[in-house]
Amino acid sequence: MAWSYGYFTELNYTHGYYPEMNPAMLRLACLCNAVEPQLPDAPSYLELGFGQGVTINMLAAASSGSYWGADFNPAQTVEARKLADASRADIRLFDDSFEEFASRKDLPDFDVIALHGIWSWISEKNRKIITDIIRRKLRPGGIAYISYNCLPGWAPVIPIRQLMSLYQDYGGGKMSRPIEMIEGAVQFAGEIAKAGSFYFRDNPFARHHLDQLTKQGRNYLAHEYMNADWHLEHFSDMVRSLDDAKLTYVGSARLLDGIDAFQLNEEGIKFVSQIGHPIMRETVRDYLVNRRFRTDIFVKGPQMLPGREHRDAWHALTFVLTTPSIDIPKKISCGRGEVELPAEKYDLILEVLSDDDYRPKRVKELLKHDKLRKLKPQDVVDYLTILTGAGFAAPAQIPSEKVKEQCRALNRHILQRALVSMDLHHMVSPVTGGGIGLTHMTQLFVLASSEGKASAAALVSYVWDFLDSLDERLVRDGKKIESKDENLKEIRASANKFRKFGRPLLEALQIIESPSAGDSSMAAAE
């Protein structure tokens, strides 16, 4: 068999960043489930199947830990090493197969072993190799993070994937270039649906899913659907498969997934509350929400936190907003749709977190704040969990000078890359220990700011000159804006919003140097 073992390598994987893989988020997820997060401040971290290496590089740059990664695709390893060379963080990246990596003699014991999605796309042999790596090299108390496609949510889509795979093998796909093959496979499945297929008639979700495929990026479709191996399993099967690695399920890395009020209706909440066994309960929850993707955290030897220690661990945490308060919605999107949070609590917490130009704040400080004194301590904890789970806040740390320099170096690389590419949608924060999502225009504003262009007029001129030099224009509602005046109007509105709301937040996150740079903001949270 070829070195790729049936994994689709003709098109590059997407440049995604996955915040739930951040050690700070893994610690918080454990804490949300009353499990002691046994991760040191400088963890030894392994990612198996790192793709383009965006996540592992951002975590390594923003952490005092040691990071290792294996991805057998040499083209992706080259790309990942460019980011590593920029930050000069403590990171080792190998283009080994999992079998080759498992046989290395220089591997340390790891505090975290993480794999995003790859479990669904590899052979049974490789899944057993990964399980063996976890069994041998994850230290007692360590965390395994495994995200994967799951049942029952994917069940209606299995025949669509089969049709696309058949086209690849027998329908002319082998003679086509990669993009043409993907286009042909999607079109082939669509033609079957249009030909009066009873399958698509009787399974409206499958037809809806097929329609959505036409709108998704072809690189994503290639890696999601066109691998030789495509493994789907129920949560309970995943738990059994990891028994040999001595792992115990703790909870989801996506915090909102673990809150029944955000996932289930009243009948579902009542039904689940009657199920005693945790594996059965979690499997039933998957059926109630028709879950398609899981982000599971397992621990080798979890220790439950007694009530007082659990409370003290929460009070010691520090949080920071990661989204300007003006952009945080009043309704939170979740499994059951949208949940509107009570303004008398939610708005107050947002207001306090925004105080002092978004300065990070310790939970203990929040509980004593005059505006929040009337709230119960559990209310504050609950809303911080919700804000973090929704991606609007994050745990914060006091970064070392080395970490801050690593982040500055990686961000300089990302900003220069923004002049020629739009593939990286995050910059790295030494305060959160990971990536922060930023639009391409915001990255250009940050780049202009780094060159001393602070006024709105200067920011607008910088972005317009960039667009005009490439003969590009902004897009609104899916349509290109041709008029120069309309482009300038859009850029000006974004620039004013950036100066008023975006820049103060990015200074608090230390993505932009603030006029009073230093640790004083974090020290105030002590």
Side-chain angles (χ1 to χ4, degrees):
M1 182 177 285
W3 63 268
S4 62
Y5 294 91
Y7 191 86
F8 194 93
T9 57
E10 282 81 3
L11 291 175
N12 288 332
Y13 192 58
T14 55
H15 289 74
Y17 170 77
Y18 307 102
E20 55 270 19
M21 297 173 71
N22 187 329
M25 290 295 291
L26 297 176
R27 290 188 189 99
L28 181 60
C30 287
L31 203 56
C32 286
N33 289 279
V35 170
E36 181 183 359
Q38 301 179 59
L39 294 185
D41 292 336
S44 180
Y45 190 112
L46 168 63
E47 183 177 1
L48 295 170
F50 53 72
Q52 299 291 350
V54 176
T55 299
I56 191 172
N57 271 288
M58 290 192 169
L59 299 182
S63 169
S64 298
S66 164
Y67 285 75
W68 296 61
D71 192 297
F72 71 160
N73 188 331
Q76 293 181 168
T77 303
V78 168
E79 185 72 10
R81 284 177 176 171
K82 290 179 183 177
L83 299 178
D85 289 343
S87 71
R88 296 189 175 276
D90 185 358
I91 183 170
R92 299 167 179 82
L93 302 171
F94 305 93
D95 66 337
D96 294 346
S97 69
F98 296 139
E99 185 173 14
E100 290 168 338
F101 187 79
S103 66
R104 295 186 66 92
K105 303 300 183 184
D106 57 345
L107 300 180
D109 288 341
F110 294 102
D111 298 297
V112 177
I113 296 180
L115 44 151
H116 174 76
I118 194 72
W119 186 269
S120 303
W121 305 325
I122 56 177
S123 66
E124 181 180 1
K125 177 183 177 182
N126 274 307
R127 290 195 297 275
K128 288 181 177 179
I129 290 171
I130 287 175
T131 302
D132 181 64
I133 292 173
I134 294 173
R135 182 186 62 79
R136 292 187 298 107
K137 302 309 297 181
L138 183 67
R139 69 165 179 80
I143 290 175
Y145 165 89
I146 305 177
S147 64
Y148 56 100
N149 293 335
C150 66
L151 297 169
W154 274 96
V157 183
I158 294 173
I160 296 177
R161 188 267 176 181
Q162 180 67 8
L163 290 175
M164 294 173 67
S165 181
L166 285 172
Y167 178 86
Q168 180 185 17
D169 291 338
Y170 305 122
K174 291 292 186 185
M175 301 298 292
S176 305
R177 289 179 294 182
I179 290 291
E180 292 173 346
M181 187 273 290
I182 299 297
E183 296 285 355
V186 173
Q187 182 179 349
F188 175 61
E191 289 172 349
I192 293 174
K194 293 175 183 177
S197 164
F198 281 81
Y199 170 74
F200 286 103
R201 186 198 68 181
D202 295 342
N203 293 275
F205 176 80
R207 181 55 195 257
H208 170 75
H209 184 81
L210 182 58
D211 292 340
Q212 293 300 113
L213 290 185
T214 63
K215 305 172 186 177
Q216 292 181 306
R218 278 17 188 177
N219 291 57
Y220 164 78
L221 293 181
H223 289 266
E224 182 66 74
Y225 291 92
M226 309 312 293
N227 297 305
D229 292 288
W230 203 62
H231 177 71
L232 302 172
E233 61 185 348
H234 292 92
F235 165 73
S236 54
D237 297 325
M238 170 62 85
V239 171
R240 289 191 202 97
S241 68
L242 296 174
D243 279 346
D244 289 344
K246 301 181 181 180
L247 295 180
T248 300
Y249 175 71
V250 166
S252 174
R254 293 183 175 178
L255 303 184
L256 296 187
D257 285 356
I259 304 175
D260 282 345
F262 277 76
Q263 303 299 323
L264 310 175
N265 57 29
E266 291 183 10
E267 293 82 358
I269 293 173
K270 182 178 179 180
F271 186 80
V272 166
S273 69
Q274 299 169 356
I275 302 174
H277 197 285
I279 306 304
M280 173 68 81
R281 183 169 60 249
E282 192 65 19
T283 302
V284 170
R285 290 178 82 252
D286 282 354
Y287 274 82
L288 291 174
V289 302
N290 195 31
R291 200 179 309 281
R292 299 177 58 199
F293 189 73
R294 293 188 60 91
T295 54
D296 288 346
I297 293 175
F298 296 87
V299 172
K300 184 183 285 188
Q303 301 294 305
M304 301 303 293
L305 280 170
R308 185 182 181 89
E309 290 183 24
H310 189 203
R311 183 200 66 188
D312 291 348
W314 258 104
H315 290 185
L317 292 178
T318 300
F319 285 86
V320 64
L321 288 181
T322 57
T323 301
S325 54
I326 193 174
D327 290 331
I328 298 178
K330 300 301 182 184
K331 296 180 180 179
I332 301 294
S333 298
C334 56
R336 58 181 292 190
E338 288 186 328
V339 173
E340 186 169 2
L341 301 175
E344 67 273 13
K345 298 178 181 180
Y346 184 51
D347 289 359
L348 279 178
I349 290 178
L350 285 178
E351 184 180 336
V352 173
L353 288 172
S354 302
D355 282 350
D356 299 336
D357 291 326
Y358 298 102
R359 174 180 60 80
K361 300 169 182 70
R362 193 178 289 271
V363 174
K364 193 173 183 178
E365 175 190 355
L366 296 174
L367 294 173
K368 295 178 180 178
H369 197 284
D370 288 342
K371 294 179 181 178
L372 302 181
R373 281 183 181 276
K374 64 181 180 180
L375 299 185
K376 298 176 182 178
Q378 192 58 47
D379 286 336
V380 175
V381 168
D382 288 345
Y383 283 99
L384 288 172
T385 302
I386 292 166
L387 282 167
T388 304
F392 304 131
Q397 64 182 8
I398 300 176
S400 67
E401 289 301 320
K402 181 174 184 291
V403 164
K404 287 191 283 188
E405 178 49 42
Q406 289 171 177
C407 290
R408 283 192 289 265
L410 182 54
N411 283 334
R412 285 194 294 268
H413 174 83
I414 292 170
L415 290 177
Q416 290 304 309
R417 190 157 162 167
L419 296 174
V420 296
S421 171
M422 296 173 61
D423 56 4
L424 293 178
H425 310 291
H426 293 76
M427 293 181 69
V428 64
S429 165
V431 175
T432 67
I436 301 294
L438 297 178
T439 65
H440 188 241
M441 187 182 292
T442 301
Q443 290 185 4
L444 294 176
F445 288 152
V446 174
L447 183 57
S449 299
S450 72
E451 297 176 4
K453 299 173 176 64
S455 69
L459 295 177
V460 172
S461 177
Y462 186 93
V463 173
W464 169 251
D465 289 346
F466 170 78
L467 291 174
D468 200 41
S469 69
L470 299 175
D471 197 26
E472 290 286 349
R473 297 294 183 266
L474 298 179
V475 174
R476 182 173 57 202
D477 299 327
K479 296 181 180 179
K480 184 178 288 190
I481 305 173
E482 298 294 348
S483 162
K484 176 181 177 180
D485 288 343
E486 284 298 307
N487 274 271
L488 290 174
K489 181 180 178 181
E490 291 284 330
I491 298 169
R492 189 174 299 110
S494 295
N496 287 328
K497 184 177 177 182
F498 170 78
R499 294 179 73 243
K500 186 174 182 179
F501 301 104
R503 177 167 186 133
L505 177 63
L506 295 181
E507 287 178 356
L509 295 171
Q510 297 187 29
I511 291 175
I512 292 180
E513 291 286 340
S514 89
S516 55
D519 281 339
S520 57
S521 63
M522 286 297 292
E526 289 294 317

